[in-house]
Amino acid sequence: LLRTHAGVHVIARATPAQKLALVQALQADGELVAVTGDGVNDVPALRMADIGVAMGERGTQSAREVAPVVLLDDNLRTIVDAVAEGRQLFLNLRLAFAYLLLVHMPLVVGAAAVPLMGLPLLFLPIHVVWLELVIHPTAMLAFQHLPAAGPLASVERQHQHRRARFFSLDAWLAMALIGSLVSVAVVGSYLHALGADRDVEHARAMGLGVLLASSAGIASGLTGLHSAAARWLVGATLMSLGVLIQVPGVSEWLNLRPLHVGDWLLVLTAYALVWLLVLALAARLRRPAGAMSANTAPTT
């Protein structure tokens, strides 16, 4: 059917069997199919579709019973807005999950690699608590209120393949590369600050500074600092570095030593470089994984 009538966007006066055949043909071609309907003749297509949407006001009882979604206002624009909202939510989840992966990779590598080298622990329990107090609020709040590109543009721009993945292969590779670079930076800064005199407190402060600055850079790159929550959380992360490391009494309580001016330059450099790297990753994540360019029309 689709191959015979390539380029056809509207099929009128279709019988129930033809509607069902159209849905099956689209699904066989790998499409994710949504069907809207209000009558008894729409029931087979509504039941077979991946997403059946029945009209709630003028739709028949049978159509409302077989469709998993019932449109209460019978306004097709509501479907467009719902799809756009769903895609924005899915994008926010992808960005938050990418942030968690990118931050926890150097955290795990630093916690495991340094003891395996026979050196003092990089992260003490109190440091892990500090890190988690930064990581989890950022993941939960920074990605919730990112501005959308617009409902209609968000729906029409891409055609989503039914086998879409959460992350594409190149996104996974990019995250692995960035996470590895941050891991090397964290462990390397610890080893550099440790030095021949084995100043463990200074080395821990340096490793934590690079990791938390990288966390702020990752959040800045993924969110673009477009939301107030993202700006506040990034600012609070960087401020916590200055307070908890540089204030003598607090740093001693955390088994840290205040950093020098040269150390802070390295920390801020790590923040800037990670921000630039993650900006490229964020641009890739904002494209649906497994999406294909196509023009689509709703089936009714």
Side-chain angles (χ1 to χ4, degrees):
L1 177 64
L2 293 178
R3 295 183 179 89
T4 306
H5 304 285
V8 175
H9 293 162
V10 178
I11 298 176
R13 306 185 67 83
T15 65
Q18 290 171 334
K19 294 180 180 181
L20 179 61
L22 178 59
V23 172
Q24 293 173 328
L26 289 168
Q27 290 175 333
D29 200 39
E31 305 289 351
L32 185 67
V33 182
V35 172
T36 61
D38 58 0
V40 177
N41 61 341
D42 297 318
V43 169
L46 286 170
R47 189 176 185 85
M48 179 60 64
D50 297 286
I51 305 170
V53 183
M55 299 299 162
E57 291 184 350
R58 64 175 183 272
T60 61
Q61 182 68 26
S62 56
R64 293 197 298 268
E65 287 179 354
V66 301
V69 179
V70 177
L71 195 62
L72 296 180
D73 60 1
D74 285 9
N75 185 356
L76 293 179
R77 176 63 186 232
T78 303
I79 300 177
V80 178
D81 294 339
V83 171
E85 186 71 21
R87 290 186 180 179
Q88 184 65 35
L89 175 61
F90 185 64
L91 171 61
N92 293 348
L93 288 174
R94 294 174 71 193
L95 294 173
F97 192 58
Y99 168 81
L100 288 172
L101 285 175
L102 290 172
V103 175
H104 279 94
M105 189 181 303
L107 173 58
V108 172
V109 170
V114 171
L116 289 175
M117 297 177 188
L119 299 173
L121 292 174
L122 170 54
F123 304 121
L124 299 178
I126 190 63
H127 302 150
V128 176
V129 172
W130 177 14
L131 290 168
E132 294 301 325
L133 286 175
V134 169
I135 293 171
H136 288 286
T138 301
M140 289 187 296
L141 301 175
F143 304 96
Q144 284 191 5
H145 302 291
L146 297 180
L152 195 58
S154 176
V155 172
E156 292 180 347
R157 182 176 61 252
Q158 291 288 347
H159 155 60
Q160 185 70 37
H161 198 276
R162 64 184 294 111
R163 295 182 180 178
R165 295 162 293 177
F166 199 72
F167 292 122
S168 62
L169 178 59
D170 57 342
W172 279 114
L173 294 175
M175 287 189 292
L177 175 61
I178 295 173
S180 300
L181 291 174
V182 175
S183 300
V184 170
V186 171
V187 175
S189 63
Y190 173 84
L191 296 176
H192 173 74
L194 189 63
D197 54 353
R198 293 297 182 96
D199 190 346
V200 179
E201 289 78 11
H202 180 227
R204 284 174 178 157
M206 193 65 191
L208 280 166
V210 171
L211 179 55
L212 283 167
S214 299
S215 169
I218 293 168
S220 299
L222 290 176
T223 64
L225 298 179
H226 292 313
S227 67
R231 292 190 291 271
W232 276 104
L233 287 165
V234 169
T237 300
L238 296 175
M239 187 178 298
S240 71
L241 279 175
V243 172
L244 299 182
I245 291 179
Q246 291 304 111
V247 176
V250 179
S251 62
E252 291 176 5
W253 178 62
L254 294 174
N255 292 298
L256 303 175
R257 193 182 305 281
L259 298 178
H260 309 303
V261 175
D263 298 331
W264 281 112
L265 290 177
L266 291 176
V267 169
L268 294 177
T269 300
Y271 168 74
L273 290 178
V274 171
W275 187 354
L276 293 176
L277 287 172
V278 175
L279 278 176
L281 172 63
R284 180 63 188 88
L285 292 178
R286 284 183 168 84
R287 297 198 299 271
M292 300 170 58
S293 297
N295 293 320
T296 59
T299 301
T300 59

